[in-house]
Structures are given as C-alpha cells and as structure tokens.
C-alpha cells in the first residue's frame, strides 16, 4: 500500500515543533528545517523518517500532516460551508411562508444548503444567472419525496416557470428533492443547470402532470455543457410518472405537442451524461440533442411510453467520446398509460424507440446492450402512418443524420409499429455505414405500418452491415431485411427465420453469406421493468468492486483491464457514469475499457484481473481498499487455449512427428475479411507448424502465398479489399501484420487483433520512450517475435533472436522464450519485462534487475523543486508519472521540478536523502 503526504511549508514547521519527542533518527534536524549535518550524514532513512517527510524551502524536514479537511464533500464537490435551510436560514418547512429571499441570499459559491424534511414554498421565479461554483441544494429526507418544493404562482403564468437557472461556473449540485407541478394542465416548472463542468442533478423527481409545451418553456430540464472537457450528470431523475399531455409532432397532428423532458441546445460541446433515469409518458422528446458538437451518453435508463423516442440524439463531433445508449430499456405498452389530461387529442401518436436525427450530418449514437419492446398500441387513435417505430433514421425537413450502430441488443415487437426503418440517406450525412451486430429481433405480428418487413434500409447507405444477428417472424407473410439502392452491403453469419423473403437486394450489390433460416432468437418479452423502484443490490458471492479514480482534470487517461471471469459496470460507485465498455472476449475472459479525466469509474468482477494498462493519473481501489499499481493484478491468465489441447486418452502430448511417428494434426481455419472496398490491405502471418490455402471459405480466391521458412515456420501472405481470404493452419500463429481495414475469424468465431497470435510465450518485454531518443539492442536465448500490438514497427526490428531499434515517445513490445542474454540501452527509455520495470543494465547478469521500490512527486500548487538519492539504481517510470528531460538522474540521484503534474521513479535499494522546495504530495511504497 502506498503512503501519501500533502505537505506545505507552514505545516512542516508547525509539525516539526510538535514532534520534539521523535526517535533518535530525527534528532539531527534543526528547528528551522535545515539539515543538522553530522547527526544525519551517511545514514539511511528509516520508516519513521518517511512518516515525518515534508516539504520546506531548503533542506529536509520530516513530519506527518494530518491537517486540512473541507467543510463537506458530496459526489466529488467540495463545499466551504454547509447551512441548514431551517435552522440557519429560517426557511419555513411547512410550506406557508415563501423561501425566495432566503434562497437568493444563500446562493453563493462554496455553499451547500441542506433542507430538512418538509414543503418549501417558492413564489417567484428564481432567475439566477450567475456563474457560481461549488453551490448545492440537497434534501435530507430518506426519500427524494420527503423534501418538496411547491410553486403556487406557476399556474398563473400558463407558459412556464423557472425554479433554478444557472449558466457557467462549475460543480453545482441539486440532490434528493421533488418538484411539485400539481395535477392541473397548466403548471410547468423548469430547471436550467448549465455549468461548464460538474453539474449534477441526482435523485430529483418532477411530481404531477406534465402539460403541453404551450404551457411550458419547452423543456423541464436544460443541461448543456459549453466546454469540451466538461461533464454534467443527471442520475436517478424521474419525470412523468403521474401522467403527461401527448399531442404528437405538430407537423403531423396540428396539435400542441407535449413538453420535452431534457433539451440539449446548440452550444453543447462537452458530455451530457444520464444514469438510471426513468422517463415516462413523454409527449415530445425524452432527450433531444441534434445540433451541438457534444455527446450525450445514456446508461441503464428506462423510457416507458415516450412518444417521440427514448432518445433523439446524434453522435456529435467530440474528439474522444461518442454518444451511446448502453443498458437501457425502451418500452411501449399503452396498458400502462397514466393520466393523459382533458384534451381529447392527447394520446400517443408516434411510439418511437430510438430516433436518429441530426441537423449537422453527424452519425447516430451507438446502441448497445439495450432492450426495445412493443406490446400494446391500442390507444394510438389516428392513422398508423404516424408511427415511427423501434429504430428510425429520419430524413424529414432539414434532418440529415448519418448511420447508427446497434450491438448486443434485443428487439421484441408485437404491434404494427415499424421495426427498423432507415430512410434514404441525405447528402449532408457524413458517413453511410449502418452496423447491426448481435441483434436479437423477434416480430410477432403479420405486418407493420410500413409494410410486412423487419428491417428496411433506404438508398445511399453504402457499406452497411448486418452480422451475427437473429431475425424471427413466425406470423403472417413477413420479409426479413430489405436494402434499396445501396452498394457494398454485407449480411452474414446470421439467422433469418421469416415467413417471407430473408434478404431482398433492390438495385443493391453486396455480400450475403452464411445465413441460416430455421433458428429462434433470444427473446426479451415480459422482461421489462414494472417500475423504477428496483435496487442495485446484486452482489453475489465472489464479486468484487473495482474503482478507477482520475486525479488529473486536464488529461484523459485510457485504461483497459482483462478479467479471467465475468465483469459488469458499476454505476453505484461511479461518479459521472461508469466504465466505457464491458465485453466478453471469449474463453471465459472479459475486457473492461474506458477513459477518465477527474472523477470515478467503477466495475464489478467475478474472477481475477490478469492484466491491465492505465496511465499514471489514476488511483485504484478494490472492495473499498486503495491499491498500489502492483496490487491490481490478482490472478494469472489461463495458460491453456483452444488450439493447444492435449491428448485426452493417454497418448503422447507431443505433436511433433520426429522419429517417424505420426500424430494427427489439429487444423484451424482462419479468415481475413476486408471491409474497405476502396483500399487494398496487405497481410502476413507467420505460423509455427503447417499451413494451407482454404478456397472453400475464401470469397474471391484465397491467400496469395503459403511458403515454408526455416525452423518449422510457414509464411502466409496476401492482400484483400472487400471480400474474404482464408487459410488453414496446424500449430500456432506466432506473429502477423495487417492493415486496419480487416476483420479476423478463427474456426468461425470473430476475434480481436490482440487475439490473433495464439502462440504462448514465456515472457513479454516493452521498451517505452520517454520523449528523448533512446536506442536499444537485446538478444534472447530462444525464440523472439514482435507483439501483435506492435506489428510492423516491431517486426522490422526483429532479426532471429535479436531485436534492435530506437524509440522516442512510442513503445515497442516483444514476446520471447528463455532468458535475455544481453541488453544494451543508450538513453532514458524505460524497460519492462513481464509488466515490471527493470534496470536494463542488469538484464543478462546474475543480479535481479527488478526495480522494486517507487516514489512519486505530485506538484499541487506552484512549481516545486526536489532532489533525492538512493543507494541502488534509479530510473524514471512512465507508468507512474510524466518523464521530462529537465529532470536529471546521475549516479543514483535525481534533481527535478514539477508543476501541477506527477513525476514518478522506480529504484532498488534504499532512499538515502530527500529535499523538497515548495508544496508537493509525496507517495512511495512501504
């Protein structure tokens, strides 16, 4: 476990004065913090010296801090002061006297207002437009309904009412209360929460009837993020559970539409995040964002009977993020409708699921691991042509959205609503490739309002793909998939069990292969939630929680964890959402990936973490206990693989044929699938064993070359554009190179690039550049190959059992058997063997090269300079912190500086001296 200290000069001097009874190892220090000289010279720092280490202007002072606690922290927001609305501010919790003046007076940066259980009366619109920061309003009840705000004058306006309105600032919290709109048809209360970052609305519900937008400001919640790195969050927000006006789109119905629940405006460029929200019976757009460059990310949320879609969003143009719906339920079941109001035109009209729209030509969102279900549309009274359906990519008006990506999603439809309806692509759409992968789709009706088909793709959607999916329509005369006027489409590896035509290509060219026609699909029927009162208390035996906490608000840190077992996102412990993606990668292995700025991502896993990568600006916690980076991995990879099965009947497990014996070879098929019609991608595979062309699986021929090399190796090479090349091999693939526009399959199973090499090597070696040029050359005793993640760059560096080259800021990586016999390094690059940083000069010697100890210096204010020395060897460590050329290492001593950054080092031996000037946070292993 690491030890961390946050130290300032004043604290250091105070603590030195209070530590006069320290043990003898500290008696050489003077009261002003200078080195005492003779008493300290030449000795090593012991554990009590570490505990008393602090930053001073000159020399070294040793102390422990134990100072500095904020008044309060909620959801990562620091507040300078906490005030009680009743005891401190004199507000009336019985709802008789207005609280307007007290609220306005307390609206200051650094203030958290806590409201005891009760009813709070607001008589005037609170048009706060200041850019306050670190401000919050929080109910103290056990439930969000225990604290209720009422607005007796809101119905008098008839056109909307602002309760809270802020633009700018950072870190603003609204938590654990309800907004009472009453059950009349005119009262509408809105919140505009638009800080530049850190805006959070958590456990808040709009109670009462939601009127038409003629009696509202058009939306109940506005949350834009007008800074690129900003993130605002809505978590467990509930709207519409008491009913709402549903007037349909005015262009179709000539009626007043309902009120949008969340509207994200044109200036949005950051991330708007939704977690576990429950939006019910929205008569307009539940969440709409179709103009700004920012992203909308929706996780684990439910949309019940929302007329114009669970989400009407596009992907935006963020440099590092995408818009997603992940783990969401979209349900249309009109037997569960609530109050519709007195207007006779108020009833569901469009019944949309995912509505893809963009005025900017951007792609639609990525929909993954969602359930879209249609059961009962009996209350939809007008012509069924108004129905928009489960997934619609529109072309109406000035809309010109790009394609949608749908993966690992289930659709169940028992109604006449359209299923997948992708209208003609418009000229402003930037891209064209719709992707549907692992979609399980059951349609139990004889037709839809758009014809008897399960999926329709209009003109211009070139390159669209349907893969690994299932379509099942047991009733009527229903077709499966229809493409009209598209080029280079792909439908493959899918079951399409319908009563009509499985696939129709009208004025379309493409590739349809490996289709079955008799299977059924995973069905989602009757799996929809009955209410939003479920709890997340599903922590069975063996599951562990894991937290990744970002500590740098200026730098995005990517991470990836490989788990031997199962994994799932944890939204309860996460702060702004959760990890980016959790996927099964086969053989019982899961992968968790994402990126983080400042905040917390979390996941659960049942099994063991066998490997990970992450930048230096994160800290880790498992089951509530902080870990060092060395403690993250808690298991070993399974050394067995599908292609390395031993004999099961007592025969020899040696697959060689030496001495004239014969052992039957286990052959594997391997497919290279080109996905870019315009570009040839060259490929090369080195197989240890045997290889042969496979013309049966190949589409336009086969691989170009299969040639024998030395030492029992075979080279397979060729080039592919759009189509399939294939070969068989017996043995293992030990290295490969290929362009980015290809996909791979082994024995009929899709695999990732990092799964192509199935040869198990004993060791993994990385040379990591630190910004200056370093040259390396090393030799191993047995076999050496480039790591698959390195491909061309590393393959060119390998010659037999030796690799040589140079790095600057990049990383090269190799796999090998046997020991390293020689290693020469000229420069400051870091060298890692089997995940541990080593002293390269000791590789190939009898000494242990591992750098067991580590130390980081975190500059948290102005520039801090430091100097320390060790009794052993010392190296910069890029996995712990930044590696700057100005930080100099010589003979076991480093002299460096840090500003709002972290410098990291690894070493062996003992820490013999430390001097720090400024304010810094020091962390090192025990």
């Amino acid at each position: 476990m690491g030890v961390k200290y946050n130290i300032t000069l004043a604290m250091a001097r105070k603590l030195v004065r209070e530590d006069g009874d320290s043990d003898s190892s500290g008696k050489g220090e003077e009261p002003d913090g200078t080195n005492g000289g003779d008493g300290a010279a030449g000795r090593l720092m012991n554990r009590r010296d570490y505990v008393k280490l602090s930053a001073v202007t000159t020399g070294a002072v040793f102390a422990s801090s134990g100072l500095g606690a904020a008044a309060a922290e909620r959801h990562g927001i620091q507040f300078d002061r906490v005030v009680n609305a009743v005891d401190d501010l004199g507000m009336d919790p019985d709802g008789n006297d207005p609280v307007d003046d007290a609220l306005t007076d307390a609206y200051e940066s650094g203030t958290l207002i806590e409201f005891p259980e009760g009813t709070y009366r607001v008589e005037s619109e609170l048009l706060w437009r200041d850019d306050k920061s670190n401000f919050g309003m929080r109910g103290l009840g056990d439930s969000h309904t225990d604290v209720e705000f009422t607005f007796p004058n809101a119905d008098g306006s008839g056109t909307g009412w602002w309760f809270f309105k802020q633009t700018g600032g950072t870190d603003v919290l609204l938590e654990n209360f309800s907004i009472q709109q009453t059950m009349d048809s005119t009262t509408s209360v809105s919140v505009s929460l638009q800080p530049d970052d850190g805006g959070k609305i958590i456990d808040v519900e709009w109670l009462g009837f939601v009127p038409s937008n003629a009696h509202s400001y058009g939306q109940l919640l506005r949350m834009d993020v007008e800074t690129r790195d900003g993130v605002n969050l809505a978590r467990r927000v509930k709207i519409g559970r008491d009913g709402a006006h549903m007037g349909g789109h005015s262009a179709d119905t000539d009626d007043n539409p309902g009120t949008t629940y969340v509207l994200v405006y044109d200036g949005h460029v950051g991330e708007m995040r939704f977690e576990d929200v429950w939006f019910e019976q929205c008569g307009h757009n539940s969440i709409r964002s179709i103009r700004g460059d920012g992203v909308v990310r929706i996780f684990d949320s439910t949309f019940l009977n929302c007329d114009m879609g669970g989400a009407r969003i596009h992907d935006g143009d963020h440099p590092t993020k995408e818009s997603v719906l992940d783990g969401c339920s979209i349900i249309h079941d009109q037997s569960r409708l609530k109050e519709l109001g007195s207007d006779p035109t108020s009833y569901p009209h469009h019944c949309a699921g995912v509505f893809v729209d963009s005025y900017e030509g951007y792609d639609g969102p990525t929909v993954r691991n969602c359930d879209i279900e249609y059961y009962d549309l009996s209350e939809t009274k007008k012509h069924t042509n108004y129905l928009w359906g489960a997934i619609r990519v529109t072309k109406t008006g000035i809309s010109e959205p790009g394609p949608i990506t749908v993966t690992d999603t289930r659709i169940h439809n028992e109604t006449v609503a359209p299923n997948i309806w992708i209208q003609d692509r418009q000229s402003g759409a930037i891209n064209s490739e719709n992707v549907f992968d692992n979609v399980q789709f059951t349609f139990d009706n004889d037709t839809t309002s758009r014809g008897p088909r399960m999926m329709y793709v209009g003109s211009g959607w070139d390159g669209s793909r349907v893969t690994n999916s299932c379509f099942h329509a047991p009733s009527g005369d229903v077709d499966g998939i229809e493409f009209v006027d598209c080029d280079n489409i792909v439908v493959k590896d899918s079951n399409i069990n319908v009563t009509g035509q499985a696939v129709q290509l009208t004025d379309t060219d493409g590739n349809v292969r490996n289709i079955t026609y008799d299977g059924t699909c995973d069905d989602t029927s009757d799996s929809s939630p009955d209410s939003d009162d479920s709890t997340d208390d599903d922590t069975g035996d063996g599951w562990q929680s894991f937290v990744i906490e970002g500590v740098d608000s200026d730098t995005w840190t990517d991470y990836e964890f490989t788990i031997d077992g199962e994994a799932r996102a944890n939204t309860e412990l996460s702060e702004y959402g959760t990890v980016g993606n959790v996927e099964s990668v086969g053989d019982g292995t899961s992968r968790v990936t994402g990126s983080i700025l400042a905040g917390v991502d979390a996941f659960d896993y049942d099994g063991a973490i066998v490997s990970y990568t992450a930048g230096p600006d994160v800290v880790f916690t498992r089951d509530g206990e902080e870990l060092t980076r060395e403690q993250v991995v808690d298991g070993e990879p399974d050394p067995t693989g599908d292609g390395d099965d031993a004999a099961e009947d007592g025969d020899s497990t040696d697959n060689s044929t030496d001495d004239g014996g014969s052992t039957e070879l286990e052959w594997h098929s391997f497919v290279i699938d080109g996905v870019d019609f315009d570009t040839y991608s060259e490929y090369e595979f080195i197989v240890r064993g045997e290889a042969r062309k496979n013309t049966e699986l190949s589409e336009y021929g086969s691989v170009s070359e299969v040639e024998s090399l030395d030492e029992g190796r075979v080279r397979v090479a060729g080039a592919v554009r759009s189509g399939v090349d294939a070969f068989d091999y017996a043995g293992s693939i030990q290295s490969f190179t290929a362009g980015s526009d290809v996909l791979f399959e082994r024995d009929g199973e899709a695999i990732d690039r990092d799964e192509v090499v199935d040869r198990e090597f004993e060791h993994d070696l990385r040379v990591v550049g630190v910004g200056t040029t370093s040259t390396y050359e090393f030799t191993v005793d047995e076999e050496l190959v480039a790591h698959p993640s390195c491909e061309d760059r590393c393959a060119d560096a390998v010659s037999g059992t030796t690799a040589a080259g140079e790095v600057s800021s990049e990383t090269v990586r190799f796999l090998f058997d046997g020991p390293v016999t020689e290693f020469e390094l000229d420069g400051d690059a870091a060298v890692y063997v089997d995940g541990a940083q080593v002293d390269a000069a000791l590789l190939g010697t009898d000494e242990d090269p591992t750098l067991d100890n580590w130390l980081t210096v975190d500059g948290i204010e102005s520039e801090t300079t430091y100097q320390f020395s060790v009794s052993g060897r010392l190296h910069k460590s890029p996995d712990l912190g930044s590696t700057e050329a100005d930080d100099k290492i010589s003979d076991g001593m480093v002299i460096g500086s840090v500003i709002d950054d972290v410098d990291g080092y690894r070493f062996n031996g003992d820490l013999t001296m430390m001097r720090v000037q400024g304010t810094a946070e020091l962390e090192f292993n025990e």
Side-chain angles (χ1 to χ4, degrees), residues 605-648:
Y605 69 97
D606 184 5
I609 297 175
V610 296
S611 66
Y612 82 101
T613 59
D617 297 319
V618 290
V619 294
F620 306 111
T621 303
R622 181 188 290 120
D623 289 339
E625 294 191 9
E626 186 171 331
L627 307 173
T628 64
R629 299 180 75 92
E630 292 79 5
Q631 294 172 314
V632 170
V633 173
D634 59 351
E636 296 292 335
D638 184 354
T640 64
D642 291 341
D644 198 22
D645 295 333
E648 296 179 357

Coordinates of all heavy atoms in Angstrom, one line a residue, residues 605-648:
Y605 N -16.3 -7.5 -10.8 CA -15.8 -8.6 -11.5 C -15.9 -9.9 -10.6 O -15.8 -9.8 -9.4 CB -14.4 -8.4 -12.1 CG -13.3 -8.3 -11.1 CD1 -12.5 -9.5 -10.8 CD2 -13.0 -7.1 -10.4 CE1 -11.5 -9.4 -9.9 CE2 -11.9 -7.0 -9.6 CZ -11.2 -8.2 -9.3 OH -10.2 -8.1 -8.4
D606 N -16.1 -11.0 -11.2 CA -16.1 -12.3 -10.5 C -15.1 -13.2 -11.2 O -15.3 -13.7 -12.3 CB -17.5 -12.9 -10.6 CG -17.6 -14.2 -9.9 OD1 -16.7 -14.6 -9.2 OD2 -18.7 -14.9 -10.0
G607 N -13.9 -13.3 -10.6 CA -12.8 -14.0 -11.2 C -11.5 -13.3 -10.7 O -11.3 -13.0 -9.5
A608 N -10.7 -13.0 -11.7 CA -9.4 -12.3 -11.4 C -9.0 -11.4 -12.5 O -9.2 -11.7 -13.7 CB -8.3 -13.4 -11.2
I609 N -8.4 -10.3 -12.1 CA -7.7 -9.4 -13.1 C -6.4 -10.0 -13.5 O -5.5 -10.2 -12.6 CB -7.6 -8.0 -12.5 CG1 -8.9 -7.4 -12.2 CG2 -6.8 -7.1 -13.5 CD1 -8.9 -6.0 -11.5
V610 N -6.2 -10.3 -14.7 CA -4.9 -11.0 -15.1 C -4.0 -10.0 -15.8 O -2.8 -10.3 -16.0 CB -5.2 -12.2 -16.0 CG1 -6.0 -13.2 -15.3 CG2 -6.0 -11.8 -17.3
S611 N -4.5 -8.8 -16.3 CA -3.6 -7.8 -16.9 C -4.3 -6.5 -17.0 O -5.6 -6.5 -17.0 CB -3.1 -8.3 -18.3 OG -4.2 -8.3 -19.2
Y612 N -3.6 -5.4 -17.1 CA -4.2 -4.1 -17.3 C -3.2 -3.1 -17.8 O -2.0 -3.3 -17.7 CB -4.8 -3.6 -15.9 CG -3.8 -2.9 -15.0 CD1 -3.7 -1.6 -15.0 CD2 -2.9 -3.7 -14.3 CE1 -2.8 -0.9 -14.1 CE2 -2.0 -3.1 -13.5 CZ -1.9 -1.7 -13.4 OH -1.0 -1.1 -12.6
T613 N -3.7 -2.1 -18.4 CA -2.9 -0.9 -18.8 C -3.7 0.3 -18.3 O -4.9 0.4 -18.4 CB -2.7 -0.8 -20.3 OG1 -3.9 -0.8 -21.0 CG2 -1.9 -2.0 -20.8
A614 N -3.0 1.3 -17.9 CA -3.6 2.6 -17.4 C -2.5 3.6 -17.3 O -1.4 3.3 -17.0 CB -4.3 2.4 -16.1
G615 N -2.9 4.9 -17.6 CA -1.9 6.0 -17.5 C -1.6 6.2 -16.0 O -2.2 5.7 -15.1
P616 N -0.7 7.2 -15.8 CA -0.3 7.4 -14.4 C -1.2 8.2 -13.5 O -1.1 8.2 -12.3 CB 1.1 8.2 -14.6 CG 0.9 8.9 -15.9 CD 0.1 8.0 -16.7
D617 N -2.2 8.9 -14.2 CA -3.0 9.8 -13.4 C -4.3 9.2 -12.9 O -5.4 9.8 -12.9 CB -3.4 11.0 -14.3 CG -2.2 11.8 -14.8 OD1 -1.3 12.0 -13.9 OD2 -2.1 12.2 -15.9
V618 N -4.2 8.0 -12.4 CA -5.3 7.3 -11.8 C -4.9 6.6 -10.5 O -3.7 6.2 -10.4 CB -6.0 6.3 -12.8 CG1 -6.7 7.0 -13.9 CG2 -5.0 5.3 -13.3
V619 N -5.8 6.4 -9.6 CA -5.5 5.5 -8.4 C -6.6 4.5 -8.4 O -7.7 4.6 -9.0 CB -5.5 6.3 -7.1 CG1 -4.3 7.3 -7.1 CG2 -6.8 7.1 -6.9
F620 N -6.4 3.3 -7.7 CA -7.2 2.2 -7.8 C -7.7 1.8 -6.4 O -6.9 1.9 -5.4 CB -6.5 1.0 -8.4 CG -5.9 1.3 -9.8 CD1 -4.6 1.4 -10.0 CD2 -6.8 1.5 -10.9 CE1 -4.0 1.6 -11.2 CE2 -6.2 1.8 -12.1 CZ -4.9 1.9 -12.3
T621 N -8.9 1.3 -6.3 CA -9.5 0.8 -5.1 C -10.2 -0.5 -5.4 O -11.0 -0.6 -6.4 CB -10.5 1.8 -4.5 OG1 -9.8 3.0 -4.2 CG2 -11.0 1.3 -3.1
R622 N -10.0 -1.6 -4.6 CA -10.7 -2.8 -4.7 C -11.4 -3.1 -3.4 O -10.9 -3.1 -2.3 CB -9.8 -4.0 -5.0 CG -10.5 -5.3 -5.1 CD -9.5 -6.5 -5.2 NE -8.8 -6.5 -6.5 CZ -7.5 -6.5 -6.6 NH1 -6.7 -6.3 -5.6 NH2 -6.9 -6.5 -7.8
D623 N -12.8 -3.3 -3.5 CA -13.6 -3.5 -2.3 C -13.4 -2.5 -1.2 O -13.3 -2.8 0.0 CB -13.4 -4.9 -1.8 CG -14.0 -6.0 -2.7 OD1 -14.9 -5.7 -3.5 OD2 -13.5 -7.2 -2.6
G624 N -13.2 -1.2 -1.6 CA -13.0 -0.1 -0.7 C -11.6 0.1 -0.2 O -11.4 1.1 0.6
E625 N -10.7 -0.7 -0.6 CA -9.3 -0.5 -0.1 C -8.4 -0.1 -1.3 O -8.4 -0.7 -2.3 CB -8.8 -1.8 0.5 CG -9.5 -2.2 1.8 CD -8.8 -3.4 2.5 OE1 -7.6 -3.7 2.1 OE2 -9.4 -3.9 3.4
E626 N -7.6 1.0 -1.0 CA -6.7 1.5 -2.0 C -5.6 0.6 -2.3 O -5.1 -0.1 -1.4 CB -6.2 2.9 -1.6 CG -5.4 3.6 -2.7 CD -5.0 5.0 -2.3 OE1 -5.8 5.6 -1.6 OE2 -4.0 5.5 -2.8
L627 N -5.3 0.5 -3.6 CA -4.2 -0.4 -4.1 C -3.0 0.3 -4.7 O -3.2 1.4 -5.2 CB -4.8 -1.4 -5.2 CG -6.0 -2.2 -4.9 CD1 -6.5 -2.8 -6.2 CD2 -5.8 -3.2 -3.8
T628 N -1.9 -0.3 -4.6 CA -0.8 0.2 -5.5 C -1.0 -0.4 -6.9 O -1.8 -1.3 -7.1 CB 0.6 -0.3 -4.9 OG1 0.6 -1.7 -5.0 CG2 0.8 0.2 -3.5
R629 N -0.2 0.1 -7.8 CA -0.4 -0.4 -9.2 C 0.1 -1.9 -9.2 O -0.5 -2.7 -10.0 CB 0.5 0.4 -10.2 CG 0.0 1.9 -10.2 CD 0.9 2.7 -11.2 NE 0.5 2.4 -12.6 CZ -0.4 3.1 -13.3 NH1 -1.1 4.1 -12.7 NH2 -0.7 2.7 -14.5
E630 N 1.0 -2.3 -8.4 CA 1.5 -3.6 -8.4 C 0.4 -4.6 -7.8 O 0.5 -5.8 -8.1 CB 2.8 -3.8 -7.6 CG 4.0 -3.1 -8.2 CD 4.0 -1.6 -8.0 OE1 3.1 -1.1 -7.2 OE2 4.9 -0.9 -8.5
Q631 N -0.5 -4.1 -7.1 CA -1.5 -5.0 -6.5 C -2.8 -5.2 -7.3 O -3.7 -5.9 -6.9 CB -1.9 -4.4 -5.1 CG -0.8 -4.4 -4.1 CD -1.2 -3.6 -2.8 OE1 -1.8 -2.6 -2.9 NE2 -0.9 -4.2 -1.7
V632 N -2.9 -4.5 -8.5 CA -4.1 -4.5 -9.3 C -4.3 -6.0 -9.8 O -5.4 -6.5 -9.7 CB -4.0 -3.5 -10.4 CG1 -5.1 -3.8 -11.4 CG2 -4.0 -2.1 -9.9
V633 N -3.3 -6.6 -10.4 CA -3.4 -7.9 -10.9 C -3.5 -8.9 -9.8 O -2.6 -9.0 -8.9 CB -2.2 -8.3 -11.8 CG1 -2.3 -9.7 -12.2 CG2 -2.2 -7.4 -13.1
D634 N -4.6 -9.7 -9.7 CA -4.8 -10.6 -8.6 C -5.0 -12.0 -9.1 O -5.6 -12.9 -8.5 CB -6.0 -10.2 -7.7 CG -7.3 -10.1 -8.5 OD1 -7.3 -10.1 -9.7 OD2 -8.4 -9.9 -7.8
G635 N -4.6 -12.3 -10.4 CA -4.7 -13.6 -10.9 C -3.7 -13.8 -12.1 O -3.1 -12.9 -12.5
E636 N -3.7 -15.0 -12.6 CA -2.8 -15.4 -13.7 C -3.7 -15.8 -14.9 O -4.7 -16.4 -14.7 CB -1.8 -16.5 -13.3 CG -0.8 -16.1 -12.2 CD 0.2 -15.1 -12.7 OE1 0.4 -15.0 -13.9 OE2 0.7 -14.4 -11.8
P637 N -3.2 -15.5 -16.1 CA -4.0 -15.9 -17.3 C -4.0 -17.4 -17.3 O -3.1 -18.1 -16.9 CB -3.2 -15.3 -18.5 CG -2.4 -14.3 -17.9 CD -2.1 -14.7 -16.5
D638 N -5.1 -18.0 -17.9 CA -5.3 -19.4 -18.1 C -4.3 -19.8 -19.2 O -4.3 -19.3 -20.3 CB -6.7 -19.7 -18.6 CG -6.9 -21.2 -18.7 OD1 -5.9 -22.0 -18.6 OD2 -8.1 -21.6 -19.0
P639 N -3.3 -20.7 -18.9 CA -2.3 -21.0 -19.9 C -2.7 -21.9 -21.0 O -2.1 -22.0 -22.0 CB -1.2 -21.7 -19.0 CG -2.0 -22.3 -17.9 CD -3.1 -21.4 -17.6
T640 N -3.9 -22.5 -20.9 CA -4.4 -23.3 -21.9 C -5.2 -22.5 -23.0 O -5.7 -21.5 -22.7 CB -5.3 -24.4 -21.3 OG1 -6.5 -23.8 -20.8 CG2 -4.6 -25.2 -20.3
G641 N -5.3 -23.0 -24.1 CA -6.0 -22.4 -25.2 C -6.7 -23.4 -26.1 O -6.4 -24.6 -26.1
D642 N -7.6 -22.9 -26.9 CA -8.4 -23.8 -27.8 C -7.5 -24.5 -28.7 O -7.8 -25.6 -29.1 CB -9.5 -23.0 -28.5 CG -10.6 -22.5 -27.6 OD1 -10.7 -23.0 -26.5 OD2 -11.3 -21.5 -28.1
G643 N -6.4 -23.9 -29.2 CA -5.6 -24.5 -30.2 C -4.5 -25.3 -29.6 O -3.6 -25.7 -30.3
D644 N -4.5 -25.6 -28.3 CA -3.3 -26.3 -27.7 C -3.8 -27.4 -26.8 O -3.3 -27.6 -25.7 CB -2.6 -25.3 -26.9 CG -1.1 -25.7 -26.6 OD1 -0.7 -26.6 -27.3 OD2 -0.5 -25.2 -25.6
D645 N -4.9 -28.1 -27.3 CA -5.4 -29.2 -26.4 C -4.5 -30.4 -26.4 O -4.0 -30.9 -27.4 CB -6.8 -29.6 -27.0 CG -7.8 -28.5 -26.9 OD1 -7.7 -27.7 -26.0 OD2 -8.7 -28.5 -27.7
A646 N -4.3 -30.9 -25.2 CA -3.5 -32.1 -25.0 C -4.4 -33.3 -25.4 O -5.6 -33.3 -25.4 CB -3.0 -32.2 -23.6
A647 N -3.7 -34.5 -25.6 CA -4.4 -35.7 -25.9 C -5.1 -36.1 -24.7 O -4.7 -36.0 -23.6 CB -3.4 -36.8 -26.3
E648 N -6.3 -36.7 -24.9 CA -7.2 -37.0 -23.7 C -7.3 -38.5 -23.4 O -7.9 -38.9 -22.5 CB -8.6 -36.5 -24.0 CG -8.7 -35.0 -24.2 CD -10.1 -34.5 -24.5 OE1 -11.0 -35.4 -24.6 OE2 -10.3 -33.3 -24.6

